[in-house]
Amino acid sequence: MEVYQKLNIQLNKQAVLERLEGNKTKTLSKELGSEYEKLLPDFLHWIQPEYRVEVERRQKKAYVLLTLGPEITEKIELQMQEGNVMASLMLDAMADTYLFQMDRELPELTKELFAEIKLGVEKRLEPGVDIELKEQRSIYEKVKKEQDFIHITKGYMFEPVKTFGYILQLTEDRQLFRMQHDCSKCNNLQCKMRGKIQMEMKADSFSVITAGTTISNGKDEKLQPPYQIAVDLGTTTIAMQLLSGEQAVPVKTYTAVNSCRRFGADVVTRIQNAVNGGLLTLQKLSKEDILGGIHALCREAGITLQEITRIGIAGNTTVSQILLGKDLKGLASYPFTPSYHSFEKLTFAQMFDNQESEAEVIVFPPISGFVGGDIVAGLFQCGYLERKRTAMLIDIGTNGEMAIGDGEKILCTSVAAGPAFEGGGLRYGVGSISGAISSFELQEHGGKVTTIHDAVPVGICGTGMVDILSELKDKRILNRDGNLSERYLEQGYQVAKNQQGKSICVYQQDIRELQLAKAAIGAGIELLVKYYGKTYREISEVFVAGGFGYRMNIRKAVNIGIFPREFLGKIKTVGNTSLAGVESFLRNREAEEKISRLMASATEVVLAKTEEFEKVYVHHLKL
């Protein structure tokens, strides 16, 4: 086996930033550049780049593996755990870019090797695209070393994550050297050809979720059959509950990271990945994630898989179609059409390729390409079918999904809000981790902060930012245009100090990020209410879903314009309505017919295609 470790690769800064930027402003580009320069020395220290090439001359095959070693993956996960979202995403983009550059360099390094054995390269075969994913085990078996840090999972995935491999089909024709990677088929790296990384965190998973799983006890009800499982399949996280008895009481809860995240943090990248040949790989990961959760819940409850009777699953349109293995081409371009529109019912064996259970698996249908089964479940949970008066459901996050209606007619839409509500894109932004500043009050002698778990401050989460902007606006430190007073333009406004005594500040650019996010939500609400033919005052109730809404100070959110003032006194924070809606579905045998009627009354409004949206959006930038 040939092993190459001494590499002379200069990381392409521009390529890294292009992976992260999307449609960001020049100001943010400058901040990303500074973050890159700050992390580069540590990044180069943490990586252990290595090529391994094993040639099987008789088979005319070469097994190739590239890795950056285990430490960089650990550092990426650690940054995310500590709430350093930008640093985690930057390191992830740097690692992917470096791997891509390694792959581009390898043909030149191996030319001498193939010339020596007098063989050419006929074609490159990539697991999960050109050959079955399980061939990754063959690669692993061929190139593993004693005392190796590389492992292969039961799902045929390499660990550490920043590792990938492929097989070269060799030929007697030494003139052929087709070793180069085909970007259009890539399912390993989030390359520019398949869409830029978006800093998306699922709205109903406001906290930063780390790799791994958690299981917690639910109510202290005595476990009794029948047993059912409700699943909220999120873009970033998966939440599951084991339900016990005829009343379907939640007794065990399971949460885990969606493994598909390694192939794109956002739905746009995953759609492109699936369309370009990665669908089977993504589907396999989704199935394994859910099946793993089912096994864990059964173990914890002390029951067998055979005792599970039904499993209900709701997710956005993209993740649901990936799970079902349906063609995603309709979601890749306007008018963004889903591949299915009604409940998908499968046997356990059909869904999971597993004969251990006879449970029925039911996947919720979407309303449209951007309004998925998770919103359908939320509408059902909030009782829209029985409503005589008009209500709104608003799920706030990177994508703000919302619906307005009653038992006769529902309009729904989705708006792109950006990552600020989850702490993304903010200088000291963090998720809902211990020490995150979650509320803020400006008093006579300075600011009073409240942190999660009452820990020492480490950063500011989304709800904290809402409070800070509201307080600064009331004290006229911030004007309606979102401009900080001149005194704080350079050094920012100090909110607290961390354990090391370093200031945690809010800067002008942080305020701009939250303005962009809240303007999208505000514009979406205004236009959806208008198109429905109602006024704000005619809305009877407003359900705010997701973890962010659950923790938000409603009065302060209204004060900075996230919601109209007419909504005060009408807003109810309702948590994860997707998971709760699946639970309600499983405990109600008439639910399927009711949801079908509910969906028949629902219509999507594509706000991005309206002339009014930009004008209204600009108006809602004001605080």
Side-chain angles (χ1 to χ4, degrees):
M1 179 171 63
E2 298 289 326
V3 179
Y4 305 86
Q5 291 176 313
K6 294 182 179 179
L7 311 177
N8 187 28
I9 293 175
Q10 298 297 314
L11 186 59
N12 186 326
K13 177 180 178 180
Q14 187 60 33
V16 173
L17 299 185
E18 285 178 353
R19 287 177 182 275
L20 275 173
E21 273 190 297
N23 296 316
K24 297 298 175 185
T25 63
K26 290 182 179 179
T27 305
L28 184 54
S29 298
K30 185 177 180 181
E31 291 192 13
L32 286 172
S34 299
E35 185 75 10
Y36 172 91
E37 296 296 343
K38 182 177 76 174
L39 290 171
L40 183 59
D42 285 335
F43 171 79
L44 296 175
H45 176 71
W46 291 331
I47 61 173
Q48 300 162 257
E50 180 179 293
Y51 304 99
R52 301 180 192 178
V53 182
E54 177 68 26
V55 176
E56 293 286 344
R57 203 173 187 322
R58 289 184 180 178
Q59 299 177 17
K60 290 196 171 81
K61 286 184 179 179
Y63 297 82
V64 180
L65 184 137
L66 297 80
T67 184
L68 293 184
E71 189 171 7
I72 185 60
T73 298
E74 294 167 4
K75 297 298 183 182
I76 291 170
E77 291 177 357
L78 180 62
Q79 292 293 331
M80 189 65 80
Q81 288 175 29
E82 294 179 348
N84 302 323
V85 178
M86 179 60 75
S88 178
L89 290 172
M90 178 63 75
L91 288 171
D92 191 66
M94 292 167 80
D96 284 348
T97 304
Y98 197 97
L99 271 171
F100 186 80
Q101 289 182 229
M102 284 175 64
D103 194 31
R104 295 289 296 270
E105 181 185 83
L106 187 56
E108 191 63 36
L109 284 177
T110 54
K111 273 184 179 179
E112 186 176 331
L113 169 65
F114 290 113
E116 185 177 314
I117 61 175
K118 299 179 181 180
L119 289 175
V121 179
E122 183 178 359
K123 58 183 174 181
R124 169 170 166 155
L125 304 172
E126 302 208 24
V129 179
D130 306 299
I131 51 179
E132 291 186 38
L133 186 65
K134 66 181 181 181
E135 289 299 326
Q136 294 205 147
R137 176 167 290 281
S138 302
I139 298 168
Y140 167 72
E141 294 293 343
K142 294 292 183 182
V143 301
K144 68 179 179 181
K145 302 186 297 187
E146 291 185 13
Q147 306 295 321
D148 205 354
F149 59 80
I150 295 176
H151 304 283
I152 192 86
T153 70
K154 290 182 179 179
Y156 308 115
M157 302 304 297
F158 290 117
E159 291 182 347
V161 173
K162 299 307 176 186
T163 301
F164 74 96
Y166 49 87
I167 298 173
L168 299 175
Q169 185 66 58
L170 306 182
T171 174
E172 298 289 347
D173 186 352
R174 285 182 276 173
Q175 300 304 311
L176 284 180
F177 202 72
R178 297 171 181 165
M179 188 173 172
Q180 191 57 58
H181 170 63
D182 181 355
C183 289
S184 69
K185 300 190 301 181
C186 176
N187 70 344
N188 289 303
L189 302 177
Q190 298 173 12
C191 69
K192 186 181 175 184
M193 294 292 291
R194 295 187 295 105
K196 297 173 184 177
I197 293 174
Q198 306 291 319
M199 295 181 294
E200 176 182 339
M201 299 296 286
K202 176 72 176 168
D204 60 9
S205 135
F206 173 58
S207 351
V208 173
I209 306 296
T210 61
T213 62
T214 60
I215 298 180
S216 59
N217 290 321
K219 297 178 181 178
D220 294 326
E221 304 284 345
K222 185 178 180 181
L223 289 171
Q224 55 185 344
Y227 299 107
Q228 304 178 91
I229 291 178
V231 181
D232 171 37
L233 180 59
T235 310
T236 303
T237 60
I238 299 170
M240 302 171 61
Q241 285 194 322
L242 175 67
L243 311 177
S244 168
E246 294 294 340
Q247 300 303 311
V249 177
V251 290
K252 301 290 177 184
T253 300
Y254 170 96
T255 61
V257 170
N258 187 330
S259 296
C260 291
R261 190 167 178 267
R262 72 185 70 172
F263 294 106
D266 62 285
V267 294
V268 174
T269 307
R270 286 190 211 168
I271 290 169
Q272 293 171 329
N273 192 319
V275 169
N276 289 319
L279 177 58
L280 291 179
T281 299
L282 291 168
Q283 182 190 26
K284 184 178 179 63
L285 290 173
S286 297
K287 288 182 177 182
E288 287 178 348
D289 283 344
I290 296 174
L291 188 59
I294 293 169
H295 279 293
L297 288 169
C298 288
R299 272 196 314 272
E300 184 72 9
I303 63 175
T304 65
L305 210 57
Q306 289 90 336
E307 293 177 86
I308 303 297
T309 59
R310 286 203 302 170
I311 299 166
I313 303 171
N316 66 50
T317 310
T318 299
V319 297
S320 297
Q321 288 195 189
I322 286 172
L323 175 66
L324 292 166
K326 292 187 178 292
D327 192 339
L328 273 73
K329 288 180 181 176
L331 301 180
S333 59
Y334 184 79
F336 310 109
T337 308
S339 295
Y340 75 112
H341 298 275
S342 58
F343 282 98
E344 290 282 324
K345 298 180 181 178
L346 302 92
T347 65
F348 192 89
Q350 288 171 330
M351 173 60 81
F352 299 111
D353 307 312
N354 186 305
Q355 305 290 334
E356 294 181 76
S357 174
E358 295 180 1
E360 180 183 29
V361 182
I362 305 163
V363 181
F364 272 58
I367 292 173
S368 69
F370 290 107
V371 182
D374 49 355
I375 298 302
V376 172
L379 290 169
F380 177 66
Q381 175 65 17
C382 294
Y384 267 69
L385 197 61
E386 296 80 23
R387 291 200 165 275
K388 302 299 181 184
R389 302 178 65 191
T390 307
M392 286 200 79
L393 171 64
I394 305 169
D395 195 337
I396 297 179
T398 302
N399 291 312
E401 296 164 307
M402 53 192 74
I404 181 172
D406 54 26
E408 299 296 324
K409 182 180 76 170
I410 297 171
L411 287 185
C412 52
T413 194
S414 176
V415 295
F421 288 128
E422 286 84 31
L426 310 177
R427 184 83 65 89
Y428 287 97
V430 296
S432 291
I433 62 172
S434 182
I437 296 170
S438 55
S439 68
F440 177 79
E441 183 180 352
L442 197 51
Q443 300 176 333
E444 184 177 350
H445 301 293
K448 178 185 177 182
V449 302
T450 301
T451 65
I452 294 176
H453 300 151
D454 293 323
V456 177
V458 297
I460 309 168
C461 67
T463 55
M465 276 296 296
V466 170
D467 279 17
I468 291 165
L469 265 62
S470 177
E471 292 287 302
L472 295 184
K473 175 189 173 184
D474 285 350
K475 299 299 187 292
R476 299 191 178 183
I477 295 171
L478 194 63
N479 66 19
R480 284 209 66 208
D481 290 325
N483 296 321
L484 275 170
S485 62
E486 191 171 344
R487 174 183 174 185
Y488 302 106
L489 280 177
E490 290 293 328
Q491 75 274 21
Y493 182 87
Q494 180 179 299
V495 177
K497 290 188 176 182
N498 64 17
Q499 194 165 18
Q500 291 73 39
K502 184 179 178 181
S503 295
I504 297 173
C505 299
V506 170
Y507 294 89
Q508 186 65 65
Q509 184 58 35
D510 299 333
I511 295 165
R512 291 285 179 260
E513 288 293 320
L514 201 75
Q515 281 181 276
L516 295 172
K518 74 100 180 176
I521 299 296
I525 292 171
E526 179 178 336
L527 290 178
L528 202 58
V529 171
K530 177 182 176 180
Y531 295 156
Y532 195 78
K534 296 286 186 179
T535 65
Y536 291 146
R537 294 188 184 281
E538 292 177 285
I539 309 301
S540 62
E541 288 181 289
V542 180
F543 302 104
V544 180
F548 175 77
Y550 195 71
R551 299 172 178 88
M552 180 170 43
N553 183 309
I554 299 299
R555 183 187 65 78
K556 292 181 179 180
V558 168
N559 190 39
I560 65 170
I562 295 177
F563 306 112
R565 291 194 177 278
E566 291 86 346
F567 282 4
L568 277 173
K570 300 177 181 180
I571 293 176
K572 297 180 179 179
T573 55
V574 288
N576 187 340
T577 55
S578 174
L579 187 62
V582 179
E583 291 174 26
S584 295
F585 169 85
L586 291 173
R587 66 172 62 98
N588 184 344
R589 286 290 175 177
E590 298 176 357
E592 184 178 340
E593 186 271 333
K594 290 183 177 181
I595 289 175
S596 295
R597 282 195 285 127
L598 184 151
M599 288 187 63
S601 68
T603 305
E604 182 191 25
V605 177
V606 183
L607 293 180
K609 295 293 179 181
T610 66
E611 295 180 0
E612 288 182 275
F613 185 74
E614 185 174 349
K615 180 180 178 181
V616 175
Y617 175 83
V618 171
H619 170 74
H620 279 277
L621 287 170
K622 289 189 177 293
L623 298 175

